[in-house]
Amino acid sequence: MNTKKRLFGLEILAIFLLVVYVLPFYIVVINSAKPTLEIIMNPLSLPDNPTQFFANVGAILDSVVVRYASSFWSSVIITTVSVMLIALISSMAAWVLVRTKTKLSTVIFMIFVAAMVVPFQVVMFPLISWFNTVETVTGLINTPFRLLQNYPGIVLAYMGFGSSLSIFLYHGFIKSIPLDLEEAATIDGCSKTITFFRIIFPILKPITITVIILNGIWIWNDYLLPLMVLGTGNQVQTLPLAVAHFVGSFVRRWDLILTATLMAMAPVIVIFLFLQKHIIKGMVEGSVKG
């Protein structure tokens, strides 16, 4: 009897948590098909005219200030380049740390683990100051490779902040790979580079997909780091920065804000739904085998 009561209580808790987590998404979806006045009057009601969604989308795409299409492609470039570099560099670093059995490699790995708990807010101002100093000293400020308000700086920042968790995940997965495979490759005359890219890296496919998806969702939705590195009103801006343009000091276009938010969320949701099994598979295999 107590077991049934406990299960019933857990079901009620699960339903409550489901409602709590789904409600914000429900509000975004239904209000993206309303004008601002209808949203303010009753944000929880269904839209009177669902075709208003297409009018909102047209207003967003026609907005000169927001430049939604340009922001979308900037987000695609930043996210794609960042996750590819994070996956490549983190896998290589984790492989070296696993196969190098020294106290130094252990210390370096623990430093990466410790970096996972450092909040971005602690280092954001020193990071921007350091970028500015590097630009001034090296003369990059007047070149296409400048760090602030440009692609290289934001990609470099994401590589730094995303590597700690990625190395941690790769480290646990690589420990499950038998060393005999690498020894056999060495006997066959393979170099370290060939051994990694032809033998080790293909085996890392499950955890690589996990790393790419986790970092991709974070980078795509991130607002604070692009705001600090890219700034506002710049030619290069991500979708979260573009959505923020609809929030003025005195006027808030809730219809365009929520529609633009839904448009920004849609690609990530679709990708996650198709690849969620790979996230679970990579996390489980890395933790169990490690």
Side-chain angles (χ1 to χ4, degrees), residues 164-181:
S164 298
L165 176 61
S166 302
I167 289 175
F168 176 76
L169 295 175
Y170 274 118
H171 193 277
F173 195 94
I174 291 174
K175 287 194 297 184
S176 67
I177 300 177
L179 187 59
D180 297 343
L181 294 175

Side-chain angles (χ1 to χ4, degrees), residues 73-198:
W73 288 114
S74 293
S75 287
V76 171
I77 293 172
I78 292 171
T79 303
T80 302
V81 174
S82 297
V83 297
M84 292 297 109
L85 290 176
I86 289 173
L88 177 62
I89 295 175
S90 298
S91 60
M92 295 172 68
W95 181 57
V96 172
L97 292 174
V98 171
R99 297 312 187 204
T100 305
K101 304 294 184 179
T102 63
K103 292 183 178 179
L104 179 60
S105 64
T106 303
V107 171
I108 293 175
F109 175 68
M110 295 309 299
I111 291 174
F112 280 114
V113 174
M116 293 168 55
V117 300
V118 178
F120 167 69
Q121 291 79 2
V122 175
V123 298
M124 61 182 182
F125 287 113
L127 173 68
I128 302 305
S129 177
W130 180 75
F131 275 2
N132 188 43
T133 301
V134 171
E135 281 187 346
T136 304
V137 172
T138 60
L140 292 175
I141 192 170
N142 295 320
T143 68
F145 301 100
R146 63 175 305 180
L147 299 178
L148 295 176
Q149 300 181 349
N150 203 8
Y151 291 112
I154 190 69
V155 170
L156 182 62
Y158 278 131
M159 287 174 59
F161 287 108
S163 295
S164 298
L165 176 61
S166 302
I167 289 175
F168 176 76
L169 295 175
Y170 274 118
H171 193 277
F173 195 94
I174 291 174
K175 287 194 297 184
S176 67
I177 300 177
L179 187 59
D180 297 343
L181 294 175
E182 299 170 35
E183 293 176 345
T186 302
I187 294 174
D188 291 339
C190 296
S191 63
K192 292 288 185 181
T193 303
I194 295 177
T195 300
F196 176 78
F197 284 105
R198 292 191 177 181

Side-chain angles (χ1 to χ4, degrees), residues 28 32 53 56-57 60 66 68 239 242-243 246 254-265:
V28 171
S32 63
F53 172 78
N56 294 341
V57 172
I60 292 171
V66 175
Y68 189 89
L239 280 180
V243 174
F246 292 118
W254 288 112
D255 52 347
L256 302 187
I257 292 172
L258 296 174
T259 304
T261 301
L262 180 61
M263 292 169 64
M265 291 165 50

